[in-house]
Amino acid sequence: MEEEPVSNSIALRHQAWACLKSLGIVQLTTCDRRGRLQSRPLAIQQAEVEGVLWFFVARTSDIAAEVERHPRVNACCMDVDDGFYVSVSGSARLVHDKAMARDLWNSTSNAWFPGGVDDPELTLLKIAVDHAEVWSTDSNRMVRFFSVATAALLGSKPLSAVQHATRMQVNQTGGFQ
């Protein structure tokens, strides 16, 4: 059974990509050779609103090997202060493109790849996102805290002011539909 979109809010989609860009770090989940899910933090080099994420990874890393064996991945991040949560999944592949690496390079990358864009270990990881879920609250952290605390004291459920969007698939032109 195919899932129906909960929300088609263009603003929510753009907020998701803005969140990915501003936080800059995701928890990337891959599948290891035993079939276990492995998650680790990874810095985003670029998040394109068209549904593509770019990262630097080491050519001989576990991430690279896992993506080669099983390209389906998930990346998630959250901005707890703003009550915004994003989870995206898609197909990953390794890309060896020095010109692109040069365009995405920043001073922080030197810590991981001291040889710069010519470092033999440097490769790009490209994730073409085909599914995304976003949760966003319209209240601040303190309001959410008091809602949960009040519900706990009264034995009720907290008030929910959460927007949830799912299945923001990438269309054939590369943009979200």
Side-chain angles (χ1 to χ4, degrees):
M1 181 166 116
E2 193 168 322
E3 216 172 71
E4 286 300 315
V6 174
S7 171
N8 286 322
S9 167
I10 291 170
L12 196 57
R13 287 181 228 150
H14 283 282
Q15 189 178 358
W17 289 103
C19 181
L20 286 166
K21 284 180 180 181
S22 71
L23 294 176
I25 303 279
V26 298
Q27 195 71 7
L28 180 72
T29 302
T30 57
C31 188
D32 73 9
R33 78 180 99 210
R34 295 183 185 157
R36 294 180 303 196
L37 298 176
Q38 299 290 314
S39 297
R40 73 253 308 154
L42 196 59
I44 299 170
Q45 298 306 313
Q46 185 171 317
E48 300 172 3
V49 76
E50 295 83 18
V52 177
L53 297 173
W54 290 94
F55 303 88
F56 287 143
V57 297
R59 184 180 53 80
T60 58
S61 67
D62 289 342
I63 292 173
E66 290 163 5
V67 163
E68 289 281 304
R69 275 192 304 275
H70 188 80
R72 293 296 298 168
V73 298
N74 177 268
C76 63
C77 68
M78 65 186 87
D79 185 340
V80 177
D81 290 337
D82 286 341
F84 199 81
Y85 308 86
V86 180
S87 176
V88 298
S89 59
S91 296
R93 67 182 179 97
L94 301 176
V95 176
H96 308 285
D97 182 338
K98 265 191 195 180
M100 179 74 162
R102 196 170 289 111
D103 288 344
L104 298 177
W105 191 260
N106 60 56
S107 59
T108 308
S109 303
N110 281 324
W112 300 104
F113 301 99
V117 294
D118 294 319
D119 193 308
E121 277 294 299
L122 178 67
T123 193
L124 293 161
L125 175 67
K126 177 183 181 180
I127 299 174
V129 174
D130 58 29
H131 181 87
E133 290 196 61
V134 176
W135 296 264
S136 177
T137 62
D138 58 2
S139 58
N140 66 35
R141 191 177 194 179
M142 192 59 74
V143 170
R144 291 189 310 271
F145 170 77
F146 282 116
S147 173
V148 172
T150 301
L153 288 171
L154 298 175
S156 62
K157 289 189 176 188
L159 297 174
S160 179
V162 176
Q163 260 191 299
H164 176 228
T166 188
R167 200 174 156 249
M168 293 188 294
Q169 286 188 300
V170 176
N171 64 31
Q172 292 177 351
T173 62
F176 276 113
Q177 48 187 19

